Short mmCIF file of all heavy atoms in Angstrom, two decimals:
data_model
loop_
_atom_site.label_atom_id
_atom_site.label_comp_id
_atom_site.label_asym_id
_atom_site.label_seq_id
_atom_site.Cartn_x
_atom_site.Cartn_y
_atom_site.Cartn_z
N ILE A 32 90.16 118.38 110.69
CA ILE A 32 89.33 117.29 110.19
C ILE A 32 87.92 117.34 110.80
O ILE A 32 86.91 117.22 110.11
CB ILE A 32 89.99 115.93 110.47
CG1 ILE A 32 91.31 115.82 109.68
CG2 ILE A 32 89.06 114.78 110.09
CD1 ILE A 32 92.14 114.59 110.03
N LEU A 33 87.87 117.52 112.13
CA LEU A 33 86.58 117.50 112.85
C LEU A 33 85.74 118.73 112.56
O LEU A 33 84.52 118.63 112.36
CB LEU A 33 86.85 117.39 114.35
CG LEU A 33 85.63 117.39 115.28
CD1 LEU A 33 84.74 116.20 115.01
CD2 LEU A 33 86.08 117.41 116.74
N LEU A 34 86.39 119.90 112.53
CA LEU A 34 85.62 121.15 112.48
C LEU A 34 85.50 121.76 111.08
O LEU A 34 84.67 122.65 110.87
CB LEU A 34 86.26 122.17 113.43
CG LEU A 34 86.26 121.75 114.91
CD1 LEU A 34 87.02 122.75 115.76
CD2 LEU A 34 84.83 121.61 115.42
N ILE A 35 86.32 121.30 110.13
CA ILE A 35 86.18 121.80 108.75
C ILE A 35 85.82 120.67 107.80
O ILE A 35 84.79 120.71 107.12
CB ILE A 35 87.46 122.50 108.26
CG1 ILE A 35 87.80 123.72 109.13
CG2 ILE A 35 87.27 122.97 106.81
CD1 ILE A 35 89.05 124.46 108.71
N ALA A 36 86.67 119.64 107.75
CA ALA A 36 86.43 118.56 106.77
C ALA A 36 85.14 117.81 107.03
O ALA A 36 84.36 117.55 106.11
CB ALA A 36 87.62 117.60 106.78
N ALA A 37 84.90 117.43 108.28
CA ALA A 37 83.73 116.61 108.59
C ALA A 37 82.39 117.26 108.24
O ALA A 37 81.52 116.61 107.66
CB ALA A 37 83.76 116.21 110.07
N PRO A 38 82.18 118.54 108.54
CA PRO A 38 80.87 119.14 108.23
C PRO A 38 80.63 119.38 106.74
O PRO A 38 79.48 119.53 106.33
CB PRO A 38 80.91 120.48 108.98
CG PRO A 38 82.03 120.37 109.96
CD PRO A 38 83.01 119.45 109.34
N LEU A 39 81.70 119.45 105.95
CA LEU A 39 81.52 119.80 104.54
C LEU A 39 81.06 118.60 103.73
O LEU A 39 81.30 117.45 104.09
CB LEU A 39 82.83 120.35 103.97
CG LEU A 39 83.33 121.65 104.60
CD1 LEU A 39 84.56 122.15 103.87
CD2 LEU A 39 82.24 122.71 104.61
N ARG A 40 80.42 118.87 102.61
CA ARG A 40 79.88 117.83 101.74
C ARG A 40 80.93 117.47 100.70
O ARG A 40 81.31 118.29 99.87
CB ARG A 40 78.61 118.33 101.08
CG ARG A 40 77.51 118.69 102.06
CD ARG A 40 76.39 119.47 101.40
NE ARG A 40 75.75 118.66 100.34
CZ ARG A 40 75.19 119.16 99.27
NH1 ARG A 40 75.22 120.48 99.06
NH2 ARG A 40 74.62 118.38 98.38
N SER A 41 81.39 116.22 100.76
CA SER A 41 82.38 115.74 99.81
C SER A 41 82.29 114.21 99.74
O SER A 41 82.17 113.54 100.78
CB SER A 41 83.79 116.16 100.22
OG SER A 41 84.74 115.69 99.30
N ARG A 42 82.39 113.68 98.55
CA ARG A 42 82.32 112.23 98.38
C ARG A 42 83.53 111.55 99.00
O ARG A 42 83.42 110.49 99.62
CB ARG A 42 82.24 111.89 96.89
CG ARG A 42 82.14 110.40 96.60
CD ARG A 42 81.98 110.14 95.12
NE ARG A 42 81.89 108.72 94.83
CZ ARG A 42 81.79 108.21 93.60
NH1 ARG A 42 81.73 109.04 92.55
NH2 ARG A 42 81.71 106.91 93.42
N TYR A 43 84.70 112.16 98.82
CA TYR A 43 85.93 111.60 99.36
C TYR A 43 86.59 112.62 100.28
O TYR A 43 86.70 113.80 99.94
CB TYR A 43 86.90 111.22 98.25
CG TYR A 43 86.35 110.25 97.24
CD1 TYR A 43 86.09 110.64 95.93
CD2 TYR A 43 86.08 108.92 97.60
CE1 TYR A 43 85.58 109.75 95.00
CE2 TYR A 43 85.57 108.03 96.68
CZ TYR A 43 85.32 108.44 95.37
OH TYR A 43 84.81 107.55 94.46
N LYS A 44 87.05 112.14 101.43
CA LYS A 44 87.77 112.99 102.38
C LYS A 44 89.07 112.29 102.75
O LYS A 44 89.05 111.18 103.28
CB LYS A 44 86.92 113.26 103.62
CG LYS A 44 85.64 114.02 103.30
CD LYS A 44 84.79 114.33 104.53
CE LYS A 44 83.53 115.11 104.14
NZ LYS A 44 82.70 115.48 105.30
N VAL A 45 90.19 112.97 102.45
CA VAL A 45 91.51 112.34 102.55
C VAL A 45 92.42 113.16 103.46
O VAL A 45 92.48 114.39 103.36
CB VAL A 45 92.15 112.23 101.15
CG1 VAL A 45 93.54 111.60 101.24
CG2 VAL A 45 91.26 111.43 100.21
N SER A 46 93.14 112.47 104.34
CA SER A 46 94.14 113.12 105.18
C SER A 46 94.94 112.05 105.91
O SER A 46 94.69 110.85 105.76
CB SER A 46 93.51 114.08 106.19
OG SER A 46 94.50 114.79 106.91
N TYR A 47 95.88 112.51 106.71
CA TYR A 47 96.59 111.63 107.64
C TYR A 47 95.76 111.44 108.91
O TYR A 47 94.92 112.29 109.25
CB TYR A 47 97.93 112.25 108.04
CG TYR A 47 99.00 112.23 106.97
CD1 TYR A 47 99.26 113.35 106.19
CD2 TYR A 47 99.76 111.08 106.75
CE1 TYR A 47 100.25 113.33 105.21
CE2 TYR A 47 100.75 111.06 105.77
CZ TYR A 47 100.99 112.18 105.01
OH TYR A 47 101.97 112.17 104.05
N GLY A 48 96.03 110.37 109.63
CA GLY A 48 95.37 110.14 110.91
C GLY A 48 96.29 110.36 112.09
O GLY A 48 95.90 110.13 113.23
N ILE A 49 97.52 110.87 111.84
CA ILE A 49 98.52 110.97 112.91
C ILE A 49 98.21 112.09 113.91
O ILE A 49 98.83 112.14 114.97
CB ILE A 49 99.92 111.20 112.34
CG1 ILE A 49 99.92 112.43 111.42
CG2 ILE A 49 100.40 109.97 111.59
CD1 ILE A 49 101.29 112.82 110.95
N GLY A 50 97.25 112.95 113.58
CA GLY A 50 96.85 113.98 114.53
C GLY A 50 95.46 113.72 115.07
O GLY A 50 94.88 114.57 115.73
N GLY A 51 94.93 112.53 114.79
CA GLY A 51 93.58 112.18 115.23
C GLY A 51 92.54 112.44 114.17
O GLY A 51 92.79 113.11 113.16
N GLY A 52 91.36 111.86 114.36
CA GLY A 52 90.24 112.12 113.46
C GLY A 52 90.15 111.23 112.25
O GLY A 52 89.35 111.48 111.35
N ALA A 53 90.94 110.15 112.19
CA ALA A 53 90.93 109.28 111.01
C ALA A 53 89.56 108.65 110.77
O ALA A 53 89.21 108.35 109.62
CB ALA A 53 91.99 108.18 111.16
N TYR A 54 88.78 108.46 111.80
CA TYR A 54 87.46 107.82 111.68
C TYR A 54 86.47 108.71 110.90
O TYR A 54 85.40 108.25 110.50
CB TYR A 54 86.88 107.51 113.06
CG TYR A 54 86.85 108.68 114.00
CD1 TYR A 54 85.75 109.53 114.05
CD2 TYR A 54 87.93 108.96 114.84
CE1 TYR A 54 85.71 110.62 114.91
CE2 TYR A 54 87.91 110.04 115.70
CZ TYR A 54 86.81 110.87 115.72
OH TYR A 54 86.80 111.95 116.58
N LEU A 55 86.85 109.98 110.69
CA LEU A 55 85.99 110.91 109.95
C LEU A 55 86.35 110.98 108.46
O LEU A 55 85.70 111.68 107.69
CB LEU A 55 86.10 112.32 110.55
CG LEU A 55 85.57 112.45 111.99
CD1 LEU A 55 85.99 113.78 112.58
CD2 LEU A 55 84.06 112.32 112.01
N LEU A 56 87.40 110.25 108.08
CA LEU A 56 87.87 110.28 106.69
C LEU A 56 87.32 109.09 105.91
O LEU A 56 86.99 108.05 106.48
CB LEU A 56 89.40 110.22 106.67
CG LEU A 56 90.15 111.29 107.46
CD1 LEU A 56 91.64 110.95 107.52
CD2 LEU A 56 89.94 112.68 106.85
N THR A 57 87.26 109.25 104.61
CA THR A 57 86.96 108.08 103.77
C THR A 57 88.24 107.34 103.41
O THR A 57 88.24 106.13 103.20
CB THR A 57 86.25 108.51 102.46
OG1 THR A 57 87.13 109.36 101.70
CG2 THR A 57 84.96 109.25 102.75
N HIS A 58 89.36 108.09 103.35
CA HIS A 58 90.64 107.50 103.01
C HIS A 58 91.73 108.09 103.91
O HIS A 58 91.90 109.32 103.93
CB HIS A 58 91.00 107.76 101.54
CG HIS A 58 90.08 107.07 100.57
ND1 HIS A 58 88.80 107.54 100.33
CD2 HIS A 58 90.25 105.97 99.80
CE1 HIS A 58 88.22 106.75 99.43
NE2 HIS A 58 89.07 105.80 99.10
N GLU A 59 92.45 107.24 104.61
CA GLU A 59 93.52 107.68 105.50
C GLU A 59 94.88 107.42 104.84
O GLU A 59 95.16 106.31 104.40
CB GLU A 59 93.46 106.96 106.84
CG GLU A 59 94.59 107.35 107.78
CD GLU A 59 94.62 106.51 109.05
OE1 GLU A 59 93.73 105.65 109.22
OE2 GLU A 59 95.54 106.71 109.87
N VAL A 60 95.71 108.44 104.79
CA VAL A 60 97.07 108.30 104.28
C VAL A 60 97.95 107.83 105.43
O VAL A 60 97.94 108.43 106.51
CB VAL A 60 97.60 109.64 103.73
CG1 VAL A 60 98.99 109.47 103.14
CG2 VAL A 60 96.64 110.20 102.70
N LEU A 61 98.69 106.76 105.22
CA LEU A 61 99.54 106.22 106.29
C LEU A 61 100.84 107.01 106.42
O LEU A 61 101.46 107.37 105.42
CB LEU A 61 99.85 104.75 106.03
CG LEU A 61 98.64 103.81 106.02
CD1 LEU A 61 99.09 102.38 105.78
CD2 LEU A 61 97.86 103.91 107.34
N TYR A 62 101.22 107.29 107.64
CA TYR A 62 102.47 107.99 107.93
C TYR A 62 103.52 106.95 108.30
O TYR A 62 103.31 106.13 109.20
CB TYR A 62 102.26 108.97 109.08
CG TYR A 62 103.52 109.70 109.52
CD1 TYR A 62 103.95 110.83 108.81
CD2 TYR A 62 104.25 109.27 110.61
CE1 TYR A 62 105.09 111.51 109.20
CE2 TYR A 62 105.40 109.94 111.00
CZ TYR A 62 105.81 111.07 110.30
OH TYR A 62 106.95 111.73 110.69
N THR A 63 104.66 106.96 107.61
CA THR A 63 105.66 105.91 107.81
C THR A 63 106.92 106.36 108.51
O THR A 63 107.51 105.61 109.28
CB THR A 63 106.06 105.29 106.46
OG1 THR A 63 106.53 106.33 105.58
CG2 THR A 63 104.85 104.60 105.81
N GLU A 64 107.37 107.60 108.25
CA GLU A 64 108.63 108.06 108.84
C GLU A 64 108.68 109.58 108.83
O GLU A 64 107.92 110.24 108.13
CB GLU A 64 109.82 107.51 108.04
CG GLU A 64 109.83 107.95 106.58
CD GLU A 64 110.97 107.37 105.79
OE1 GLU A 64 111.85 106.74 106.40
OE2 GLU A 64 111.00 107.56 104.56
N LEU A 65 109.64 110.10 109.62
CA LEU A 65 109.87 111.54 109.65
C LEU A 65 110.40 112.00 108.30
O LEU A 65 111.40 111.47 107.81
CB LEU A 65 110.87 111.90 110.75
CG LEU A 65 111.16 113.39 110.94
CD1 LEU A 65 109.96 114.08 111.55
CD2 LEU A 65 112.40 113.60 111.81
N ARG A 66 109.71 112.95 107.69
CA ARG A 66 110.10 113.45 106.37
C ARG A 66 109.93 114.96 106.34
O ARG A 66 109.23 115.52 107.18
CB ARG A 66 109.21 112.82 105.29
CG ARG A 66 109.43 111.35 105.11
CD ARG A 66 108.28 110.69 104.35
NE ARG A 66 108.16 111.12 102.96
CZ ARG A 66 108.93 110.68 101.97
NH1 ARG A 66 109.91 109.82 102.23
NH2 ARG A 66 108.73 111.08 100.72
N HIS A 67 110.56 115.57 105.36
CA HIS A 67 110.34 116.99 105.18
C HIS A 67 108.86 117.21 104.88
O HIS A 67 108.21 116.38 104.24
CB HIS A 67 111.20 117.52 104.03
CG HIS A 67 111.26 119.03 104.01
ND1 HIS A 67 110.25 119.80 103.50
CD2 HIS A 67 112.22 119.89 104.45
CE1 HIS A 67 110.57 121.08 103.62
NE2 HIS A 67 111.76 121.17 104.19
N LYS A 68 108.33 118.34 105.31
CA LYS A 68 106.90 118.58 105.14
C LYS A 68 106.49 118.68 103.67
O LYS A 68 105.34 118.38 103.33
CB LYS A 68 106.49 119.85 105.89
CG LYS A 68 106.41 119.63 107.40
CD LYS A 68 105.79 120.83 108.10
CE LYS A 68 105.67 120.58 109.60
NZ LYS A 68 105.07 121.74 110.30
N VAL A 69 107.40 119.09 102.80
CA VAL A 69 107.07 119.07 101.37
C VAL A 69 106.80 117.64 100.94
O VAL A 69 105.80 117.35 100.25
CB VAL A 69 108.20 119.69 100.52
CG1 VAL A 69 107.96 119.44 99.04
CG2 VAL A 69 108.31 121.19 100.79
N GLU A 70 107.65 116.71 101.34
CA GLU A 70 107.45 115.30 101.00
C GLU A 70 106.24 114.73 101.73
O GLU A 70 105.50 113.89 101.18
CB GLU A 70 108.70 114.48 101.36
CG GLU A 70 109.93 114.82 100.55
CD GLU A 70 109.79 114.43 99.08
OE1 GLU A 70 108.83 113.72 98.72
OE2 GLU A 70 110.65 114.84 98.27
N TYR A 71 106.02 115.17 102.95
CA TYR A 71 104.83 114.78 103.73
C TYR A 71 103.56 115.11 102.97
O TYR A 71 102.62 114.30 102.87
CB TYR A 71 104.89 115.52 105.07
CG TYR A 71 103.69 115.39 105.98
CD1 TYR A 71 103.59 114.34 106.88
CD2 TYR A 71 102.68 116.36 105.99
CE1 TYR A 71 102.51 114.24 107.76
CE2 TYR A 71 101.61 116.28 106.84
CZ TYR A 71 101.52 115.22 107.73
OH TYR A 71 100.45 115.13 108.59
N HIS A 72 103.53 116.31 102.38
CA HIS A 72 102.37 116.71 101.59
C HIS A 72 102.32 115.96 100.26
O HIS A 72 101.23 115.54 99.82
CB HIS A 72 102.42 118.22 101.33
CG HIS A 72 102.28 119.05 102.58
ND1 HIS A 72 103.07 120.14 102.84
CD2 HIS A 72 101.44 118.93 103.64
CE1 HIS A 72 102.72 120.65 104.01
NE2 HIS A 72 101.74 119.94 104.51
N LEU A 73 103.46 115.78 99.63
CA LEU A 73 103.49 115.06 98.35
C LEU A 73 103.10 113.60 98.52
O LEU A 73 102.60 112.97 97.58
CB LEU A 73 104.86 115.17 97.70
CG LEU A 73 105.20 116.55 97.11
CD1 LEU A 73 106.64 116.58 96.62
CD2 LEU A 73 104.24 116.89 95.96
N ASP A 74 103.31 113.04 99.72
CA ASP A 74 102.90 111.66 99.97
C ASP A 74 101.38 111.50 99.86
O ASP A 74 100.88 110.42 99.54
CB ASP A 74 103.38 111.19 101.34
CG ASP A 74 104.84 110.74 101.32
OD1 ASP A 74 105.37 110.50 100.22
OD2 ASP A 74 105.45 110.62 102.41
#
């Protein structure tokens, strides 16, 4: 998020904040429970 997403030009920046860096996003996806990574991505 800090070294790739933040420097790039984009109107919307979306990710999870569970690894840090949520303050650099325009939209934070909330993490609710342990899930398979396929579902984690589909969320």
